[in-house]
Amino acid sequence: MNRRTLLKLAAGSPALSPWAQAQVARATRGMPPPKIRDIKAISTAPGKIPLAVVKVVTDQDGLYGWGCASFTLRSQVVVAAVEKYLKPLLVGKPADRIDDIWQATYNSSYWRNGPVLNNAISGVDQALWDIKGRQAGMPVYQLLGGKCREAVACYSHASGGEIQEAIDHARRIIANGFRYVRVQVGVPGMEGYGGAGRGSLAAKPLHASPVYEPAYYIRRTLKLFEECREQLGDEIELLHDVHERVSPNQAVQFAKDLERFKLFFMEDALAPEDISYFRQIRRECATPIAMGELFNSPHEWTPLITERLIDYMRMHVSQMGGVTPARKVAAMGEIYNVKTAWHGPGDVSPIGHAANVTLDLACHNFGIQEYFAFDQTTREVFQGTLVAKDGYLYANETPGWGIEVDEKAAAKLFREELKPDGMPYYGFPVIRRLDGTVIKP
Ligand code: MG
């Protein structure tokens, strides 16, 4: 088998045998470093959620990689950032200098640490890790030092409009082998996060927008967890996402009130703008705290980790700029005994999920992984999409992320989301309090 054929095999076949992987690694070892020949951002919509993924193509036959650049609510701005700014900057550069390229792109905009540019950088960064894995004939977790554990424990989402509905949903998840469940319940008549609302409101809103009142939600959620412990017992690990929807003082009180239910963690109790209030929560109670999916900047995560104000860092890996910064921040977390719980819902692409699991396996201070079950269509478009077994995720053992993307089918997923009159608006609905005040999403 000649070198060209081997390289094509390495890049194109997720089912490469260990022998063939070794041949590929041997064949590529003496070659000059690959150079970046092309960078493409592909708009897609796995599970009907708009996302962008990035393909970096090298000048070596068949050697390319995929990265996650998933800022779902503004994906087309990320596409423009990749194509108009990163591509001209990086074409012709050596593809094997991942950290160097990360630093160059991060600094090239001068104004930095925003979600659009970070996601664009992540698309390239993760693609370069994929390329390095394919060159080495190894899954990326091997390049990060190898496994710290056999598999990645994950949690799944249970929700319901009514408390019993949410608990029944949790039971089904537990029956599928999960030991960790996030539970959310709707509030009658309100646009609750993670659980449908239903029924009529006791108080009448002064407008026609979806309504949300934090105090109603807090009382309802405390009842939910009372029922959860009663019906599901103490062994199951329960998680909850506040989604930054309460005031700082309510967050402190809520964390105290939840303490007796011994949650695995309470997530996003505060908005990123209010993170100094974590000091108050820490002083008042021992409810484990997770935070970070909205973070873009070291100015946000660094104080929370170094002051030990959170227990779990929950950043969206593409939102923080990719695997390169994520592994460094994870290592910082290990020093302070803050664990990882990378953001992993449907608005992370299957490539991003593979990157999460890579970090989960290779970082000692792994805490938990959020899981999303992609539909059959997505699994066909993103071959190698990870699927949990008995509550655990396993990395692909093929080189790189072990994911191959059917580019045409990926783009078709996105086109099918377009309405006849063009791109639909895609964003969180505007939610208001009873009096009409806009609240955080
Ligand atoms: Mg969340």
Side-chain angles (χ1 to χ4, degrees):
M1 218 180 286
N2 66 30
R3 179 181 286 178
R4 180 168 288 199
T5 314
L6 285 164
L7 281 167
K8 276 186 177 155
L9 262 175
S13 169
L16 214 56
S17 74
W19 175 84
Q21 287 175 33
Q23 298 299 308
V24 169
R26 202 168 304 136
T28 53
R29 202 165 290 141
M31 293 178 78
K35 286 199 166 69
I36 296 173
R37 201 185 70 207
D38 192 18
I39 299 179
K40 289 197 257 188
I42 293 164
S43 298
T44 183
K48 300 191 185 302
I49 299 174
L51 299 176
V53 293
V54 169
K55 184 181 191 183
V56 173
V57 182
T58 74
D59 61 354
Q60 292 187 5
D61 264 355
L63 183 60
Y64 57 85
W66 288 99
C68 175
S70 64
F71 179 12
T72 184
L73 301 179
R74 297 293 185 268
S75 69
Q76 296 307 287
V77 199
V78 177
V79 169
V82 170
E83 290 181 346
K84 292 189 190 304
Y85 296 96
L86 297 191
K87 181 179 167 179
L89 178 71
L90 297 176
V91 165
K93 299 281 190 306
D96 65 342
R97 301 187 179 195
I98 301 177
D99 203 295
D100 184 69
I101 284 180
W102 192 91
Q103 301 293 345
T105 49
Y106 177 70
N107 289 302
S108 73
S109 63
Y110 186 45
W111 285 278
R112 52 193 178 269
N113 295 320
V116 173
L117 298 181
N118 278 2
N119 270 286
I121 292 170
S122 165
V124 171
D125 177 73
Q126 294 190 8
L128 295 177
W129 280 105
D130 194 17
I131 288 169
K132 205 175 268 300
R134 289 170 190 238
Q135 277 187 291
M138 289 179 184
V140 179
Y141 72 79
Q142 290 289 9
L143 308 181
L144 301 183
K147 287 181 184 175
C148 289
R149 54 194 52 80
E150 302 310 316
V152 169
C154 33
Y155 71 89
S156 193
H157 297 185
S159 62
E162 296 299 331
I163 287 174
Q164 195 53 51
E165 236 178 283
I167 293 175
D168 291 344
H169 191 186
R171 280 191 206 283
R172 292 197 295 279
I173 289 168
I174 294 162
N176 274 328
F178 286 83
R179 292 184 299 120
Y180 303 81
V181 189
R182 191 191 84 168
V183 200
Q184 311 282 140
V185 68
V187 183
M190 290 194 186
E191 188 74 17
Y193 171 75
R198 62 171 60 167
S200 54
L201 267 178
K204 226 175 166 202
L206 305 176
H207 52 84
S209 299
V211 175
Y212 184 84
E213 278 293 330
Y216 287 53
Y217 148 76
I218 289 172
R219 285 193 290 273
R220 177 105 159 152
T221 301
L222 290 171
K223 282 197 186 111
L224 167 73
F225 281 104
E226 230 170 80
E227 253 336 286
C228 279
R229 280 298 175 221
E230 185 71 31
Q231 295 192 35
L232 302 174
D234 292 330
E235 297 304 319
I236 207 74
E237 297 284 7
L238 299 172
L239 300 80
H240 182 70
D241 189 351
V242 181
H243 225 254
E244 56 169 347
R245 285 190 173 192
V246 302
S247 72
N249 181 267
Q250 282 172 320
V252 178
Q253 181 73 55
F254 193 21
K256 283 170 68 177
D257 290 343
L258 282 170
E259 190 176 24
R260 66 197 165 105
F261 302 118
K262 305 227 181 305
L263 298 192
F264 183 79
F265 68 52
M266 176 194 199
E267 174 187 347
D268 287 6
L270 296 164
E273 294 86 345
D274 295 323
I275 52 178
S276 314
Y277 283 93
F278 276 119
R279 292 189 189 92
Q280 287 191 27
I281 294 181
R282 263 303 196 243
R283 276 201 298 271
E284 296 293 334
C285 70
T287 294
I289 297 296
M291 180 72 190
E293 75 182 55
L294 285 163
F295 286 172
N296 303 292
S297 161
H299 304 302
E300 294 165 314
W301 56 70
T302 303
L304 296 192
I305 294 169
T306 57
E307 292 183 48
R308 297 178 161 107
L309 296 176
I310 56 172
D311 300 278
Y312 298 92
M313 59 176 94
R314 245 185 82 60
M315 281 79 88
H316 185 113
V317 167
S318 67
Q319 188 88 5
M320 66 190 295
V323 165
T324 296
R327 73 189 187 114
K328 294 175 185 177
V329 181
M332 174 170 71
E334 184 184 337
I335 308 295
Y336 292 96
N337 217 336
V338 174
K339 294 190 165 76
T340 65
W342 307 116
H343 192 226
D347 51 37
V348 175
S349 74
I351 300 159
H353 280 268
N356 283 348
V357 167
T358 294
L359 291 163
D360 298 338
L361 284 175
C363 297
H364 173 72
N365 55 322
F366 163 73
I368 191 74
Q369 181 57 58
E370 183 177 25
Y371 176 61
F372 182 80
F374 285 103
D375 61 17
Q376 179 64 27
T377 312
T378 304
R379 296 203 302 273
E380 281 164 18
V381 175
F382 291 82
Q383 294 147 34
T385 295
L386 302 180
V387 178
K389 292 183 195 105
D390 293 328
Y392 287 99
L393 280 165
Y394 299 81
N396 290 321
E397 293 300 327
T398 38
W401 306 126
I403 294 195
E404 281 304 328
V405 184
D406 180 336
E407 286 177 53
K408 282 192 182 141
K412 186 165 167 252
L413 283 181
F414 187 75
R415 282 198 306 276
E416 283 172 357
E417 293 308 299
L418 294 180
K419 287 179 180 163
D421 57 344
M423 179 67 190
Y425 174 72
Y426 193 77
F428 261 97
V430 176
I431 305 167
R432 299 174 187 277
R433 296 189 63 175
L434 287 165
D435 69 358
T437 308
V438 171
I439 64 151
K440 292 215 159 52

